[in-house]
Amino acid sequence: MQFFLNGLPIGAIYALVALSYSLIYAASGVLNWSQGDMVMLGAYVGFAVFSVLKLGFTSALFISMAVVGLMGIIIQKVILRPLRNRQAPPINVVIATLGAAIIFRNTALTVWGPDPQVLPSPVSARPFSLAGVSVTPQDVLVLLVGISLMAVLHFFLKKTREGKALRAVAQDRYAALLMGIDPERSDGVAFAASAGIGAAAGILVAPIFFVTFNMGASVGLKGFVAAVIGGLGTIPGAIAGGFFLGIVESLAGGLISSGYRDAITFTLLILVLWLKPSGLFLRKSRQKV
């Protein structure tokens, strides 16, 4: 039970990053390899807000999401739109986002340096006992904020005009265009929302793993694995895949060895791609034509 509970907070982080991958992929059909570095940028912006402006955790969270969300829009307008207008192959877009990730990483290295930065937790680091297991307030904060952001995203996609337009583009881009929906606008919304979610994940994980210029590489890769395991392009699948991966990693680290966690993670990915390429939690749907 202790290992299971330990896996929930990191599972929430993976789920947020997986959501950001799936949201962009569903809307535009693009794998944005700079998404992991949105996590890193969010952590650094939060650190700057906390250390320079002396604002609290809540302000740092919302400012970081807004700033990094703007970066997501810039990526969509500078990289995705011109390449799509030129009818470039999808692999060109993927390589371009990978180049953007390297630019962000090196910019962070130049501005903040190679030394890890500390973003203090807004809650106590002292653990408490809950039903016989040890829980830290930071883990509870990560879980509560993560679930709240998932609920807000669900409300946005289901109840708002922009969210419904994004879902229509994700279902059929050409049909949505015929119905008067601007797919480019929906792409911008998807990139902004995904970058903002990634920034939130960076703020939440920063007090646990510190803030470094290359932190987005590992977190982003694990989030992508979670998205593939759950079903790339599906919101419920991304959430389920994130928590599933976090719990599996925690159980593997506690019951086997922490040194084998990454090996077990990617072994699981290979098995899923081999046995069920669509993802463990993707439901098949019938369509009448």
Side-chain angles (χ1 to χ4, degrees):
M1 182 58 69
Q2 180 69 64
F3 298 142
F4 177 83
L5 290 179
N6 289 345
L8 292 179
I10 191 62
I13 299 296
Y14 291 160
L16 289 175
V17 181
L19 272 175
S20 63
Y21 276 108
S22 290
L23 192 60
I24 291 178
Y25 184 78
S28 61
V30 171
L31 284 176
N32 180 18
W33 281 112
S34 67
Q35 192 58 44
D37 290 275
M38 299 297 104
V39 177
M40 176 270 295
L41 288 177
Y44 269 123
V45 172
F47 170 76
V49 170
F50 184 86
S51 60
V52 178
L53 300 181
K54 306 298 181 182
L55 299 179
F57 174 81
T58 303
S59 299
L61 176 65
F62 286 114
I63 293 175
S64 176
M65 292 179 67
V67 171
V68 180
L70 179 61
M71 293 302 302
I73 295 176
I74 293 175
I75 292 173
Q76 187 268 334
K77 291 186 178 299
V78 173
I79 295 178
L80 178 63
R81 179 180 291 181
L83 290 175
R84 179 164 277 166
N85 290 341
R86 295 179 181 181
Q87 298 181 347
I91 188 62
N92 290 18
V93 182
V94 173
I95 294 173
T97 60
L98 182 59
I102 296 173
I103 292 173
F104 291 141
R105 210 167 301 167
N106 283 272
T107 302
L109 176 61
T110 302
V111 174
W112 286 285
D115 297 329
Q117 306 292 341
V118 179
L119 181 63
S121 173
V123 294
S124 172
R126 185 176 181 179
F128 60 91
S129 180
L130 179 65
V133 295
S134 179
V135 180
T136 64
Q138 177 66 27
D139 289 345
V140 176
L141 176 67
V142 169
L143 196 58
L144 291 179
V145 175
I147 293 175
S148 299
L149 289 173
M150 296 172 201
V152 170
L153 179 63
H154 177 78
F155 176 83
F156 170 76
L157 292 175
K158 292 288 186 180
K159 301 298 182 181
T160 66
R161 182 183 180 88
E162 292 292 346
K164 293 177 180 179
L166 198 155
R167 288 168 54 209
V169 172
Q171 184 174 1
D172 192 319
R173 190 178 186 89
Y174 183 68
L177 178 63
L178 293 179
M179 294 297 104
I181 297 174
D182 184 3
E184 296 291 345
R185 180 182 177 87
S186 294
D187 288 344
V189 171
F191 271 78
S194 298
I197 292 172
I203 289 283
L204 293 174
V205 80
I208 302 175
F209 296 126
F210 300 106
V211 184
T212 62
F213 72 96
N214 58 358
M215 64 179 292
S218 59
V219 177
L221 187 58
K222 294 292 183 67
F224 176 71
V225 171
V228 173
I229 289 176
L232 187 61
T234 64
I235 302 303
I239 296 173
F243 280 107
F244 178 74
L245 182 60
I247 293 170
V248 167
E249 276 197 352
S250 181
L251 291 173
L255 299 177
I256 303 175
S257 172
S258 59
Y260 293 110
R261 287 193 305 177
D262 289 348
I264 292 173
T265 296
F266 290 102
T267 300
L268 180 62
L269 173 64
I270 293 171
L271 288 175
V272 170
L273 292 174
W274 182 31
L275 298 174
K276 194 177 180 184
S278 60
L280 293 178
F281 306 101
L282 183 62
R283 294 182 178 180
K284 293 183 178 180
S285 59
R286 295 182 178 179
Q287 183 178 7
K288 294 182 178 180
V289 294

